[in-house]
Each structure stands twice: as structure tokens, then as C-alpha cells.
Amino acid sequence: MATSPSKPVSLFRLDGDGDALVSLTSEQVAVDRPVNLAGTRARLVAGAFRTEEPRWLDHVSALTGGPVELSAELPFAVLLVPRPPWTYAVTWGAGHLALNDEYVEQGFGLLFGIRRLDPLDLGLVVSAALDASARVTQTSIPGGSDLAGFRLEPYGELVNRLAGSADLVDLTYGRVTGRRYRIRAGNALWAPLAKEPYGFLADLDAIGAVVDEPDTHSALRFIAQTRPLDRHDRLVPELERRFAETLGGAAHGPVGLAWPHSAVREAEQAGSYRVTGLGGDGPFVAEARLELAHLTDRLARVDAADRMRALRAGRIVACADESGEVESGTPVQVAKWLTFETTVGHARYVFHQGRWYRIGQAYVELMRGQVAGLLERRYPWPDVSWVPTGEPDDEHRYCERVGTEPGFLCLDKDFASTPLHPRFELCDLLGPGDELIHVKWLGRATSASHLFTQALVSVEALAHEPAALTQLAAKVTRLDPGRTVATAPGTVVLAAAGRGWDADQLFTLSQISLLRLDRAVRGLGATLRFADIPFVPKQRRRVQPSRRRSRR
């Protein structure tokens, strides 16, 4: 059997003028010297990370009744190879721990994988949902599968890692062996590189050329359209400057309120919200329904340079009472309640759930066009205007008014319970044709994510859990004895006041969530429709200082 001309290694690509390595001590470094790599001046750093007794060792000793001694050394080696305008880092052992994350190009390996992985023979996909759930999924299919086998969402799916069969005809391995190789692609690329210097440099140049080539031919190209930014990304300071200035009244892009997934249930029934740690003026209480202005009014009094720090230090908790004294939820970082968008160059940058994401402008335009088409599915709404009362049960009062219209039934606050969904609303209103209608006031800058979540939970429960349909039928018969519901309704209506359904007024992440909701609803045999509720604009909600510490 012939010896392979290549050896698999982990390859990173670095950018920046600073030191590519973290600070290493003289005890950790055994070798740090220049290397002449076929005429290229490279640098080899090798050594070992030494660890003393880990913190959990005393727990092991206590449980097992005797002392346990444990220490370790993690050998590492890093070869830094300049290939302007980039520097490549080849790592062995724990070498990845020696790299300075600030200069590691995020998703470099994925860019190669998108262009060379066989989309019909993938073995691993690790992804996260770009929504409030922060769901992370790792799917492994040892025998390989096409994309359909991994059930990826076409929108808002952040693919972080791929593995599978790749065409390496550009590299020494592919040219010499004529075979494919099962690579791993994420921030790093794990693939075979030539053992001899000239071939090795040629492989680096070939990888760079592949990454730089167009991806229009690839079925995996959607992966590169939406990427999380590393917290050390050099664009982050500029993005956070824009966000901070916008919170003080500047106009670098839209900013809005986006309910965190963990707070949706409590927020629906909150009597007030208690906000702490947001600036130096002390805690305050926002009554009934949290508004964006409650936060921006306070942040405007904070120096722009300190606003992002204040966002991360501040906490918001839903309270059961109107004075912010009885907490009914868990305090959530203020940063996770806000969303912001701005455009730099040809990309849209989004702040969501406390971190930054990059979304390609072409992808944004494609989504906007599809959302605009989706919003054409209109549902006729009765001539009943929503006049805000300023009371905590404002939405319920409006639903009761619409419930007096012919064919409409008010089910708002009439909760259902199933094994998978212990407490949820089947709908706010049931329409004349048994449409499931979900009603919300959506201010101009407010995210609609909580409305989408409510609709999805309902339609899933009715489709998969017989108890949900039984309870819906019972509630309908109780309200209208002559009316029955025998099957899961086939129409889901999202009815909004505060603003109309317009693709140009929806945040990019709301567009992503809406397209995903439509796909899920269609998969359950139903159709999504939209209604604009006539309304009178709301007055500014009242904010009061917090009088004392909250209690449970």
C-alpha cells in the first residue's frame, strides 16, 4: 500500500496586526523559532500547557474516601505561515488553545466546506436556531446523507460545523490519490495537507483560492449568508457605538423590544416590570406592558460610552402585581430584551439575544420579497377599532368586544393544558370559519416573536395532541351550544394593531421567524393569514420609581 502524500491537520486562518498567539509563559514554551519553509519564513511554537489539581478533585476525594492526585500536561504545536494578506496556523495537539481568538477568522473552514463538501454525503451538521429559543442541534449520520436528512431550516439556521465527503482535487491529496476525503469544517478546516514543504505551501494557496471563489454552484451556499460575529471581531466596537448612539436618539438603524423566550409566558400575564441596574438612577417599575421607551428614556441619561455596559448590567423581571414587588419570573439581562439592526457595506448586522450576527444583504432582499408575498394572504377584519385603555387587560377587553361580532368567539385567557404544553392559549379569538386568531398590539419597533411563538404552540398542539382538540371543542360548545369543532382548524390568523403588516417594518429576524412559522404551519396542514386591526395610537406608558426591593 502506497504511503499517503498528505497528513490531516487542523488549519486556521488569521487576520490582524497583533500577536496571533495568546500570552504564553517561558515554562509553557519549549520551542519558539523561525522556520524556512521552502523559502517562506514561518514560525514554530511548541510546548505544553500544564494543569495542577483541578477544582473538582476535592469532591472526588470526598466521595471516594481517599486522596486522589491528578495533574496533566497538554502538548501543543503551532506553525504560523504567512501567505499575505493572511496568516495560516497549523495546529497539533492542544495548539488551538494557543491561538488568539481575536485574530481567528470565524467560519473559515465552513467557507471551504461549502464549496467542496458533497451535499449528498454529509455525516455531521451542528447548527443553532437564530431565534429566541437558542436551540442547538447536532445531527450525526455515520453512513452519510443529503441535506434533507438533517432537516435544516432554510432560514435562520446557523450552521457552525459540517463533516462529510469532500472533493479535494485542488489539493495534493486529491491530485495524487484521486480519492475524496471526509473533512471537518467549522472555524478550522481539518483536512490532509502535503507532508513536504513545497506541496504544503501549494495546498495553503489552493485552499485560499477555493475559499475566495464564488459559491453560486453550491447547494450549501445558504450557510454563509447568516453568521454570528465573534465577540472579538474588530467590527464589534463600531456596531456597539452605533447601537449606543441610537439608544440615545441617533438614527443608525431600527431598535426594538424583543421578548426573550424565557420571559414570554410571564410577560403575557405581568402586572408590571421591575428594572434594576440600568444606569445610576436606581430601580424603576414599568406598569402593565413594557415599552421600548421605558428603556430608552433611562438609557438616554447614561453616557453613550457606558450604554452597552449598562445594557449588560441591567435586569428586567416580570412581576405579578402592579407595583413591581412580587416577582413572577426570572430576571433577564436588559440586552436580551432589545434588538437593533444596522447596515455596514453590503451586509446587515443584527443585535439579538445579547450578541451580534451578520446577514448578507442579498439574503435580506430575498427574504423581504418572500415575506411581502406571504403578507398578501389577508384576512378580513370586522370594523372594531382597538382604543387603548391603559389597563393591564387591554388586549382581553378588545378581544371581548370582537367576540360580540357575528361568528367570533373570545377564547383569550381561556387556557388549555396538554402533556406537552401544560398551559397555553389555543387562540385569542375563534373566527366564523373556525379560524385560530392570535391578537397582539405590536408597536412600530416591537418584535413580533412572542406572537409567532403563541401561534406555533397552538397549531402544533392541535395537530399532534388529541387533548387540545377536545378542549377546543368543549370551550366552543360552552360559549355557543349550537357550534361544534370536529377537526383542527385549517387557518391561523395573526391580527396586529399598533402598525400594519408590512415587510419594510419587520425586523430581519422577525422576517426569518415569520418564514419559519409559515413553513411549520403549512407542514401541519394549515394556512397562515394576516389581519390589520384598526386602532388609535397608544399614549406613553407611565414609569414609576421602585419603592422597595421585590419579593417572591
Side-chain angles (χ1 to χ4, degrees), residues 399-412 427-437 439 472-485:
C399 288
E400 285 186 320
R401 289 181 58 206
V402 178
T404 64
E405 294 291 305
F408 287 88
L409 297 178
C410 177
L411 295 179
D412 184 51
C427 59
D428 295 315
L429 293 160
L430 192 71
D434 292 343
E435 301 90 350
L436 296 169
I437 303 173
V439 175
L472 176 62
K475 294 176 189 296
V476 169
T477 301
R478 185 180 69 249
L479 293 171
D480 185 351
R483 184 170 173 179
T484 61
V485 176

PDB file of all heavy atoms in Angstrom, residues 399-412 427-437 439 472-485:
ATOM      1  N   CYS A 399     -60.473  41.836  22.751  1.00  0.00           N
ATOM      2  CA  CYS A 399     -60.933  40.529  22.251  1.00  0.00           C
ATOM      3  C   CYS A 399     -62.394  40.287  22.634  1.00  0.00           C
ATOM      4  O   CYS A 399     -63.167  39.714  21.848  1.00  0.00           O
ATOM      5  CB  CYS A 399     -60.045  39.414  22.792  1.00  0.00           C
ATOM      6  SG  CYS A 399     -58.402  39.364  22.060  1.00  0.00           S
ATOM      7  N   GLU A 400     -62.789  40.707  23.818  1.00  0.00           N
ATOM      8  CA  GLU A 400     -64.187  40.542  24.230  1.00  0.00           C
ATOM      9  C   GLU A 400     -65.111  41.359  23.334  1.00  0.00           C
ATOM     10  O   GLU A 400     -66.217  40.907  22.987  1.00  0.00           O
ATOM     11  CB  GLU A 400     -64.352  40.971  25.689  1.00  0.00           C
ATOM     12  CG  GLU A 400     -63.794  39.963  26.690  1.00  0.00           C
ATOM     13  CD  GLU A 400     -64.108  40.345  28.117  1.00  0.00           C
ATOM     14  OE1 GLU A 400     -64.031  41.548  28.449  1.00  0.00           O
ATOM     15  OE2 GLU A 400     -64.424  39.426  28.902  1.00  0.00           O
ATOM     16  N   ARG A 401     -64.675  42.545  22.928  1.00  0.00           N
ATOM     17  CA  ARG A 401     -65.501  43.354  22.022  1.00  0.00           C
ATOM     18  C   ARG A 401     -65.662  42.672  20.672  1.00  0.00           C
ATOM     19  O   ARG A 401     -66.757  42.609  20.119  1.00  0.00           O
ATOM     20  CB  ARG A 401     -64.876  44.742  21.841  1.00  0.00           C
ATOM     21  CG  ARG A 401     -64.978  45.643  23.069  1.00  0.00           C
ATOM     22  CD  ARG A 401     -64.358  46.997  22.765  1.00  0.00           C
ATOM     23  NE  ARG A 401     -65.010  47.637  21.627  1.00  0.00           N
ATOM     24  CZ  ARG A 401     -64.420  48.534  20.823  1.00  0.00           C
ATOM     25  NH1 ARG A 401     -63.148  48.869  21.040  1.00  0.00           N
ATOM     26  NH2 ARG A 401     -65.084  49.067  19.827  1.00  0.00           N
ATOM     27  N   VAL A 402     -64.554  42.157  20.116  1.00  0.00           N
ATOM     28  CA  VAL A 402     -64.644  41.469  18.825  1.00  0.00           C
ATOM     29  C   VAL A 402     -65.470  40.191  18.969  1.00  0.00           C
ATOM     30  O   VAL A 402     -66.170  39.777  18.041  1.00  0.00           O
ATOM     31  CB  VAL A 402     -63.234  41.138  18.288  1.00  0.00           C
ATOM     32  CG1 VAL A 402     -63.318  40.376  16.972  1.00  0.00           C
ATOM     33  CG2 VAL A 402     -62.421  42.417  18.096  1.00  0.00           C
ATOM     34  N   GLY A 403     -65.412  39.577  20.161  1.00  0.00           N
ATOM     35  CA  GLY A 403     -66.169  38.352  20.401  1.00  0.00           C
ATOM     36  C   GLY A 403     -67.673  38.531  20.331  1.00  0.00           C
ATOM     37  O   GLY A 403     -68.408  37.537  20.267  1.00  0.00           O
ATOM     38  N   THR A 404     -68.151  39.765  20.338  1.00  0.00           N
ATOM     39  CA  THR A 404     -69.589  40.015  20.197  1.00  0.00           C
ATOM     40  C   THR A 404     -70.005  40.125  18.731  1.00  0.00           C
ATOM     41  O   THR A 404     -71.205  40.193  18.439  1.00  0.00           O
ATOM     42  CB  THR A 404     -69.992  41.306  20.931  1.00  0.00           C
ATOM     43  OG1 THR A 404     -69.347  42.435  20.317  1.00  0.00           O
ATOM     44  CG2 THR A 404     -69.608  41.235  22.403  1.00  0.00           C
ATOM     45  N   GLU A 405     -69.038  40.161  17.831  1.00  0.00           N
ATOM     46  CA  GLU A 405     -69.339  40.216  16.407  1.00  0.00           C
ATOM     47  C   GLU A 405     -69.845  38.847  15.929  1.00  0.00           C
ATOM     48  O   GLU A 405     -69.456  37.806  16.478  1.00  0.00           O
ATOM     49  CB  GLU A 405     -68.091  40.604  15.609  1.00  0.00           C
ATOM     50  CG  GLU A 405     -67.602  42.014  15.880  1.00  0.00           C
ATOM     51  CD  GLU A 405     -68.553  43.071  15.339  1.00  0.00           C
ATOM     52  OE1 GLU A 405     -68.876  43.037  14.134  1.00  0.00           O
ATOM     53  OE2 GLU A 405     -68.996  43.928  16.137  1.00  0.00           O
ATOM     54  N   PRO A 406     -70.704  38.806  14.900  1.00  0.00           N
ATOM     55  CA  PRO A 406     -71.272  37.533  14.429  1.00  0.00           C
ATOM     56  C   PRO A 406     -70.180  36.511  14.059  1.00  0.00           C
ATOM     57  O   PRO A 406     -69.284  36.819  13.266  1.00  0.00           O
ATOM     58  CB  PRO A 406     -72.084  37.954  13.200  1.00  0.00           C
ATOM     59  CG  PRO A 406     -72.415  39.394  13.436  1.00  0.00           C
ATOM     60  CD  PRO A 406     -71.246  39.965  14.156  1.00  0.00           C
ATOM     61  N   GLY A 407     -70.271  35.341  14.648  1.00  0.00           N
ATOM     62  CA  GLY A 407     -69.358  34.244  14.314  1.00  0.00           C
ATOM     63  C   GLY A 407     -68.074  34.211  15.100  1.00  0.00           C
ATOM     64  O   GLY A 407     -67.360  33.207  15.086  1.00  0.00           O
ATOM     65  N   PHE A 408     -67.713  35.284  15.815  1.00  0.00           N
ATOM     66  CA  PHE A 408     -66.461  35.334  16.584  1.00  0.00           C
ATOM     67  C   PHE A 408     -66.705  34.885  18.028  1.00  0.00           C
ATOM     68  O   PHE A 408     -67.738  35.223  18.632  1.00  0.00           O
ATOM     69  CB  PHE A 408     -65.881  36.750  16.585  1.00  0.00           C
ATOM     70  CG  PHE A 408     -65.270  37.165  15.276  1.00  0.00           C
ATOM     71  CD1 PHE A 408     -66.045  37.761  14.295  1.00  0.00           C
ATOM     72  CD2 PHE A 408     -63.924  36.950  15.024  1.00  0.00           C
ATOM     73  CE1 PHE A 408     -65.501  38.136  13.082  1.00  0.00           C
ATOM     74  CE2 PHE A 408     -63.365  37.330  13.811  1.00  0.00           C
ATOM     75  CZ  PHE A 408     -64.154  37.923  12.839  1.00  0.00           C
ATOM     76  N   LEU A 409     -65.764  34.151  18.584  1.00  0.00           N
ATOM     77  CA  LEU A 409     -65.812  33.728  19.980  1.00  0.00           C
ATOM     78  C   LEU A 409     -64.517  34.137  20.660  1.00  0.00           C
ATOM     79  O   LEU A 409     -63.427  33.933  20.111  1.00  0.00           O
ATOM     80  CB  LEU A 409     -65.976  32.206  20.089  1.00  0.00           C
ATOM     81  CG  LEU A 409     -67.263  31.601  19.521  1.00  0.00           C
ATOM     82  CD1 LEU A 409     -67.224  30.087  19.666  1.00  0.00           C
ATOM     83  CD2 LEU A 409     -68.486  32.176  20.221  1.00  0.00           C
ATOM     84  N   CYS A 410     -64.605  34.715  21.842  1.00  0.00           N
ATOM     85  CA  CYS A 410     -63.418  35.138  22.587  1.00  0.00           C
ATOM     86  C   CYS A 410     -62.928  33.999  23.466  1.00  0.00           C
ATOM     87  O   CYS A 410     -63.619  33.558  24.383  1.00  0.00           O
ATOM     88  CB  CYS A 410     -63.746  36.362  23.438  1.00  0.00           C
ATOM     89  SG  CYS A 410     -62.342  36.898  24.469  1.00  0.00           S
ATOM     90  N   LEU A 411     -61.698  33.523  23.190  1.00  0.00           N
ATOM     91  CA  LEU A 411     -61.060  32.486  23.994  1.00  0.00           C
ATOM     92  C   LEU A 411     -59.810  33.018  24.681  1.00  0.00           C
ATOM     93  O   LEU A 411     -59.034  32.246  25.244  1.00  0.00           O
ATOM     94  CB  LEU A 411     -60.696  31.280  23.119  1.00  0.00           C
ATOM     95  CG  LEU A 411     -61.868  30.505  22.497  1.00  0.00           C
ATOM     96  CD1 LEU A 411     -61.352  29.366  21.640  1.00  0.00           C
ATOM     97  CD2 LEU A 411     -62.796  29.983  23.569  1.00  0.00           C
ATOM     98  N   ASP A 412     -59.606  34.323  24.641  1.00  0.00           N
ATOM     99  CA  ASP A 412     -58.444  34.915  25.288  1.00  0.00           C
ATOM    100  C   ASP A 412     -58.474  34.631  26.787  1.00  0.00           C
ATOM    101  O   ASP A 412     -59.525  34.745  27.440  1.00  0.00           O
ATOM    102  CB  ASP A 412     -58.438  36.427  25.050  1.00  0.00           C
ATOM    103  CG  ASP A 412     -57.206  37.104  25.620  1.00  0.00           C
ATOM    104  OD1 ASP A 412     -56.100  36.634  25.335  1.00  0.00           O
ATOM    105  OD2 ASP A 412     -57.378  38.085  26.368  1.00  0.00           O
ATOM    106  N   CYS A 427     -56.146  30.066  21.157  1.00  0.00           N
ATOM    107  CA  CYS A 427     -56.241  31.258  20.315  1.00  0.00           C
ATOM    108  C   CYS A 427     -56.825  32.369  21.177  1.00  0.00           C
ATOM    109  O   CYS A 427     -57.317  32.129  22.281  1.00  0.00           O
ATOM    110  CB  CYS A 427     -57.121  31.012  19.081  1.00  0.00           C
ATOM    111  SG  CYS A 427     -58.814  30.517  19.461  1.00  0.00           S
ATOM    112  N   ASP A 428     -56.775  33.585  20.688  1.00  0.00           N
ATOM    113  CA  ASP A 428     -57.432  34.696  21.367  1.00  0.00           C
ATOM    114  C   ASP A 428     -58.883  34.800  20.926  1.00  0.00           C
ATOM    115  O   ASP A 428     -59.776  35.096  21.726  1.00  0.00           O
ATOM    116  CB  ASP A 428     -56.707  36.005  21.071  1.00  0.00           C
ATOM    117  CG  ASP A 428     -55.292  36.024  21.641  1.00  0.00           C
ATOM    118  OD1 ASP A 428     -55.128  35.623  22.805  1.00  0.00           O
ATOM    119  OD2 ASP A 428     -54.363  36.417  20.914  1.00  0.00           O
ATOM    120  N   LEU A 429     -59.104  34.542  19.637  1.00  0.00           N
ATOM    121  CA  LEU A 429     -60.453  34.554  19.071  1.00  0.00           C
ATOM    122  C   LEU A 429     -60.595  33.381  18.113  1.00  0.00           C
ATOM    123  O   LEU A 429     -59.624  32.998  17.439  1.00  0.00           O
ATOM    124  CB  LEU A 429     -60.715  35.856  18.298  1.00  0.00           C
ATOM    125  CG  LEU A 429     -60.784  37.157  19.092  1.00  0.00           C
ATOM    126  CD1 LEU A 429     -60.563  38.345  18.162  1.00  0.00           C
ATOM    127  CD2 LEU A 429     -62.134  37.278  19.803  1.00  0.00           C
ATOM    128  N   LEU A 430     -61.796  32.817  18.055  1.00  0.00           N
ATOM    129  CA  LEU A 430     -62.110  31.833  17.024  1.00  0.00           C
ATOM    130  C   LEU A 430     -63.004  32.520  16.016  1.00  0.00           C
ATOM    131  O   LEU A 430     -64.023  33.129  16.387  1.00  0.00           O
ATOM    132  CB  LEU A 430     -62.810  30.609  17.621  1.00  0.00           C
ATOM    133  CG  LEU A 430     -62.917  29.408  16.676  1.00  0.00           C
ATOM    134  CD1 LEU A 430     -61.534  28.775  16.477  1.00  0.00           C
ATOM    135  CD2 LEU A 430     -63.894  28.377  17.217  1.00  0.00           C
ATOM    136  N   GLY A 431     -62.607  32.482  14.735  1.00  0.00           N
ATOM    137  CA  GLY A 431     -63.347  33.190  13.707  1.00  0.00           C
ATOM    138  C   GLY A 431     -64.590  32.456  13.255  1.00  0.00           C
ATOM    139  O   GLY A 431     -64.822  31.294  13.619  1.00  0.00           O
ATOM    140  N   PRO A 432     -65.409  33.099  12.411  1.00  0.00           N
ATOM    141  CA  PRO A 432     -66.657  32.480  11.924  1.00  0.00           C
ATOM    142  C   PRO A 432     -66.441  31.163  11.184  1.00  0.00           C
ATOM    143  O   PRO A 432     -67.307  30.299  11.195  1.00  0.00           O
ATOM    144  CB  PRO A 432     -67.220  33.554  10.985  1.00  0.00           C
ATOM    145  CG  PRO A 432     -66.618  34.838  11.469  1.00  0.00           C
ATOM    146  CD  PRO A 432     -65.260  34.474  11.960  1.00  0.00           C
ATOM    147  N   GLY A 433     -65.290  31.013  10.556  1.00  0.00           N
ATOM    148  CA  GLY A 433     -64.972  29.769   9.860  1.00  0.00           C
ATOM    149  C   GLY A 433     -64.023  28.895  10.649  1.00  0.00           C
ATOM    150  O   GLY A 433     -63.263  28.111  10.072  1.00  0.00           O
ATOM    151  N   ASP A 434     -64.046  29.021  11.966  1.00  0.00           N
ATOM    152  CA  ASP A 434     -63.158  28.282  12.880  1.00  0.00           C
ATOM    153  C   ASP A 434     -61.686  28.640  12.673  1.00  0.00           C
ATOM    154  O   ASP A 434     -60.798  27.805  12.876  1.00  0.00           O
ATOM    155  CB  ASP A 434     -63.350  26.762  12.752  1.00  0.00           C
ATOM    156  CG  ASP A 434     -64.708  26.308  13.262  1.00  0.00           C
ATOM    157  OD1 ASP A 434     -65.350  27.088  13.996  1.00  0.00           O
ATOM    158  OD2 ASP A 434     -65.138  25.190  12.924  1.00  0.00           O
ATOM    159  N   GLU A 435     -61.403  29.874  12.289  1.00  0.00           N
ATOM    160  CA  GLU A 435     -60.021  30.325  12.172  1.00  0.00           C
ATOM    161  C   GLU A 435     -59.444  30.550  13.574  1.00  0.00           C
ATOM    162  O   GLU A 435     -60.107  31.115  14.446  1.00  0.00           O
ATOM    163  CB  GLU A 435     -59.936  31.632  11.383  1.00  0.00           C
ATOM    164  CG  GLU A 435     -60.507  31.542   9.970  1.00  0.00           C
ATOM    165  CD  GLU A 435     -61.985  31.881   9.920  1.00  0.00           C
ATOM    166  OE1 GLU A 435     -62.606  32.006  11.007  1.00  0.00           O
ATOM    167  OE2 GLU A 435     -62.530  32.006   8.804  1.00  0.00           O
ATOM    168  N   LEU A 436     -58.205  30.115  13.774  1.00  0.00           N
ATOM    169  CA  LEU A 436     -57.492  30.387  15.025  1.00  0.00           C
ATOM    170  C   LEU A 436     -56.868  31.762  14.897  1.00  0.00           C
ATOM    171  O   LEU A 436     -55.939  31.967  14.118  1.00  0.00           O
ATOM    172  CB  LEU A 436     -56.410  29.335  15.268  1.00  0.00           C
ATOM    173  CG  LEU A 436     -56.863  27.898  15.475  1.00  0.00           C
ATOM    174  CD1 LEU A 436     -55.660  26.954  15.426  1.00  0.00           C
ATOM    175  CD2 LEU A 436     -57.600  27.760  16.799  1.00  0.00           C
ATOM    176  N   ILE A 437     -57.362  32.730  15.691  1.00  0.00           N
ATOM    177  CA  ILE A 437     -56.907  34.107  15.552  1.00  0.00           C
ATOM    178  C   ILE A 437     -56.100  34.492  16.786  1.00  0.00           C
ATOM    179  O   ILE A 437     -56.568  34.361  17.918  1.00  0.00           O
ATOM    180  CB  ILE A 437     -58.099  35.069  15.391  1.00  0.00           C
ATOM    181  CG1 ILE A 437     -58.943  34.654  14.176  1.00  0.00           C
ATOM    182  CG2 ILE A 437     -57.606  36.507  15.230  1.00  0.00           C
ATOM    183  CD1 ILE A 437     -60.232  35.442  14.035  1.00  0.00           C
ATOM    184  N   VAL A 439     -54.110  37.620  18.583  1.00  0.00           N
ATOM    185  CA  VAL A 439     -54.194  39.081  18.567  1.00  0.00           C
ATOM    186  C   VAL A 439     -53.072  39.683  19.399  1.00  0.00           C
ATOM    187  O   VAL A 439     -52.799  39.223  20.516  1.00  0.00           O
ATOM    188  CB  VAL A 439     -55.556  39.537  19.130  1.00  0.00           C
ATOM    189  CG1 VAL A 439     -55.618  41.056  19.245  1.00  0.00           C
ATOM    190  CG2 VAL A 439     -56.692  39.016  18.252  1.00  0.00           C
ATOM    191  N   LEU A 472     -60.617  22.408  22.833  1.00  0.00           N
ATOM    192  CA  LEU A 472     -61.118  23.469  21.965  1.00  0.00           C
ATOM    193  C   LEU A 472     -62.604  23.261  21.695  1.00  0.00           C
ATOM    194  O   LEU A 472     -63.404  24.207  21.786  1.00  0.00           O
ATOM    195  CB  LEU A 472     -60.337  23.502  20.649  1.00  0.00           C
ATOM    196  CG  LEU A 472     -60.835  24.513  19.609  1.00  0.00           C
ATOM    197  CD1 LEU A 472     -60.721  25.942  20.151  1.00  0.00           C
ATOM    198  CD2 LEU A 472     -60.064  24.377  18.298  1.00  0.00           C
ATOM    199  N   ALA A 473     -62.971  22.027  21.374  1.00  0.00           N
ATOM    200  CA  ALA A 473     -64.379  21.731  21.088  1.00  0.00           C
ATOM    201  C   ALA A 473     -65.255  22.037  22.304  1.00  0.00           C
ATOM    202  O   ALA A 473     -66.357  22.596  22.177  1.00  0.00           O
ATOM    203  CB  ALA A 473     -64.523  20.268  20.674  1.00  0.00           C
ATOM    204  N   ALA A 474     -64.774  21.688  23.494  1.00  0.00           N
ATOM    205  CA  ALA A 474     -65.551  21.923  24.712  1.00  0.00           C
ATOM    206  C   ALA A 474     -65.714  23.416  24.982  1.00  0.00           C
ATOM    207  O   ALA A 474     -66.789  23.886  25.387  1.00  0.00           O
ATOM    208  CB  ALA A 474     -64.876  21.242  25.899  1.00  0.00           C
ATOM    209  N   LYS A 475     -64.652  24.192  24.778  1.00  0.00           N
ATOM    210  CA  LYS A 475     -64.726  25.636  25.019  1.00  0.00           C
ATOM    211  C   LYS A 475     -65.697  26.293  24.040  1.00  0.00           C
ATOM    212  O   LYS A 475     -66.464  27.197  24.409  1.00  0.00           O
ATOM    213  CB  LYS A 475     -63.333  26.250  24.872  1.00  0.00           C
ATOM    214  CG  LYS A 475     -62.327  25.795  25.938  1.00  0.00           C
ATOM    215  CD  LYS A 475     -60.933  26.360  25.669  1.00  0.00           C
ATOM    216  CE  LYS A 475     -59.889  25.750  26.582  1.00  0.00           C
ATOM    217  NZ  LYS A 475     -60.097  26.051  27.995  1.00  0.00           N
ATOM    218  N   VAL A 476     -65.668  25.864  22.786  1.00  0.00           N
ATOM    219  CA  VAL A 476     -66.555  26.439  21.776  1.00  0.00           C
ATOM    220  C   VAL A 476     -68.015  26.120  22.093  1.00  0.00           C
ATOM    221  O   VAL A 476     -68.897  26.988  22.037  1.00  0.00           O
ATOM    222  CB  VAL A 476     -66.169  25.921  20.377  1.00  0.00           C
ATOM    223  CG1 VAL A 476     -67.236  26.294  19.344  1.00  0.00           C
ATOM    224  CG2 VAL A 476     -64.816  26.483  19.948  1.00  0.00           C
ATOM    225  N   THR A 477     -68.282  24.856  22.450  1.00  0.00           N
ATOM    226  CA  THR A 477     -69.661  24.456  22.762  1.00  0.00           C
ATOM    227  C   THR A 477     -70.186  25.188  23.987  1.00  0.00           C
ATOM    228  O   THR A 477     -71.367  25.553  24.062  1.00  0.00           O
ATOM    229  CB  THR A 477     -69.727  22.934  22.978  1.00  0.00           C
ATOM    230  OG1 THR A 477     -69.277  22.272  21.792  1.00  0.00           O
ATOM    231  CG2 THR A 477     -71.139  22.491  23.295  1.00  0.00           C
ATOM    232  N   ARG A 478     -69.304  25.456  24.953  1.00  0.00           N
ATOM    233  CA  ARG A 478     -69.725  26.177  26.150  1.00  0.00           C
ATOM    234  C   ARG A 478     -70.132  27.612  25.802  1.00  0.00           C
ATOM    235  O   ARG A 478     -71.101  28.156  26.342  1.00  0.00           O
ATOM    236  CB  ARG A 478     -68.594  26.190  27.174  1.00  0.00           C
ATOM    237  CG  ARG A 478     -68.992  26.827  28.509  1.00  0.00           C
ATOM    238  CD  ARG A 478     -67.854  26.831  29.516  1.00  0.00           C
ATOM    239  NE  ARG A 478     -66.784  27.735  29.141  1.00  0.00           N
ATOM    240  CZ  ARG A 478     -65.575  27.358  28.765  1.00  0.00           C
ATOM    241  NH1 ARG A 478     -65.271  26.065  28.690  1.00  0.00           N
ATOM    242  NH2 ARG A 478     -64.667  28.256  28.431  1.00  0.00           N
ATOM    243  N   LEU A 479     -69.387  28.246  24.890  1.00  0.00           N
ATOM    244  CA  LEU A 479     -69.687  29.622  24.502  1.00  0.00           C
ATOM    245  C   LEU A 479     -70.848  29.709  23.514  1.00  0.00           C
ATOM    246  O   LEU A 479     -71.603  30.685  23.502  1.00  0.00           O
ATOM    247  CB  LEU A 479     -68.444  30.282  23.898  1.00  0.00           C
ATOM    248  CG  LEU A 479     -67.266  30.516  24.841  1.00  0.00           C
ATOM    249  CD1 LEU A 479     -66.039  30.969  24.065  1.00  0.00           C
ATOM    250  CD2 LEU A 479     -67.628  31.558  25.907  1.00  0.00           C
ATOM    251  N   ASP A 480     -70.973  28.693  22.654  1.00  0.00           N
ATOM    252  CA  ASP A 480     -72.025  28.668  21.632  1.00  0.00           C
ATOM    253  C   ASP A 480     -72.539  27.237  21.526  1.00  0.00           C
ATOM    254  O   ASP A 480     -71.989  26.421  20.769  1.00  0.00           O
ATOM    255  CB  ASP A 480     -71.448  29.141  20.295  1.00  0.00           C
ATOM    256  CG  ASP A 480     -72.524  29.250  19.211  1.00  0.00           C
ATOM    257  OD1 ASP A 480     -73.657  28.809  19.449  1.00  0.00           O
ATOM    258  OD2 ASP A 480     -72.204  29.777  18.121  1.00  0.00           O
ATOM    259  N   PRO A 481     -73.564  26.890  22.298  1.00  0.00           N
ATOM    260  CA  PRO A 481     -74.033  25.487  22.377  1.00  0.00           C
ATOM    261  C   PRO A 481     -74.366  24.859  21.036  1.00  0.00           C
ATOM    262  O   PRO A 481     -74.325  23.640  20.897  1.00  0.00           O
ATOM    263  CB  PRO A 481     -75.275  25.605  23.268  1.00  0.00           C
ATOM    264  CG  PRO A 481     -75.025  26.817  24.111  1.00  0.00           C
ATOM    265  CD  PRO A 481     -74.314  27.778  23.201  1.00  0.00           C
ATOM    266  N   GLY A 482     -74.693  25.627  20.049  1.00  0.00           N
ATOM    267  CA  GLY A 482     -75.050  25.049  18.759  1.00  0.00           C
ATOM    268  C   GLY A 482     -73.873  24.862  17.828  1.00  0.00           C
ATOM    269  O   GLY A 482     -74.064  24.466  16.665  1.00  0.00           O
ATOM    270  N   ARG A 483     -72.675  25.128  18.312  1.00  0.00           N
ATOM    271  CA  ARG A 483     -71.496  25.104  17.420  1.00  0.00           C
ATOM    272  C   ARG A 483     -70.520  24.023  17.861  1.00  0.00           C
ATOM    273  O   ARG A 483     -70.267  23.843  19.051  1.00  0.00           O
ATOM    274  CB  ARG A 483     -70.815  26.465  17.448  1.00  0.00           C
ATOM    275  CG  ARG A 483     -69.637  26.633  16.499  1.00  0.00           C
ATOM    276  CD  ARG A 483     -69.231  28.092  16.471  1.00  0.00           C
ATOM    277  NE  ARG A 483     -68.022  28.344  15.721  1.00  0.00           N
ATOM    278  CZ  ARG A 483     -67.472  29.543  15.537  1.00  0.00           C
ATOM    279  NH1 ARG A 483     -68.077  30.611  16.053  1.00  0.00           N
ATOM    280  NH2 ARG A 483     -66.366  29.691  14.830  1.00  0.00           N
ATOM    281  N   THR A 484     -69.978  23.293  16.905  1.00  0.00           N
ATOM    282  CA  THR A 484     -69.008  22.242  17.211  1.00  0.00           C
ATOM    283  C   THR A 484     -67.757  22.408  16.359  1.00  0.00           C
ATOM    284  O   THR A 484     -67.802  22.978  15.261  1.00  0.00           O
ATOM    285  CB  THR A 484     -69.602  20.845  16.948  1.00  0.00           C
ATOM    286  OG1 THR A 484     -69.959  20.745  15.562  1.00  0.00           O
ATOM    287  CG2 THR A 484     -70.821  20.591  17.821  1.00  0.00           C
ATOM    288  N   VAL A 485     -66.650  21.909  16.884  1.00  0.00           N
ATOM    289  CA  VAL A 485     -65.377  21.872  16.149  1.00  0.00           C
ATOM    290  C   VAL A 485     -64.903  20.424  16.178  1.00  0.00           C
ATOM    291  O   VAL A 485     -64.557  19.904  17.240  1.00  0.00           O
ATOM    292  CB  VAL A 485     -64.325  22.798  16.780  1.00  0.00           C
ATOM    293  CG1 VAL A 485     -62.989  22.665  16.040  1.00  0.00           C
ATOM    294  CG2 VAL A 485     -64.790  24.243  16.763  1.00  0.00           C
TER     295      VAL A 485
END
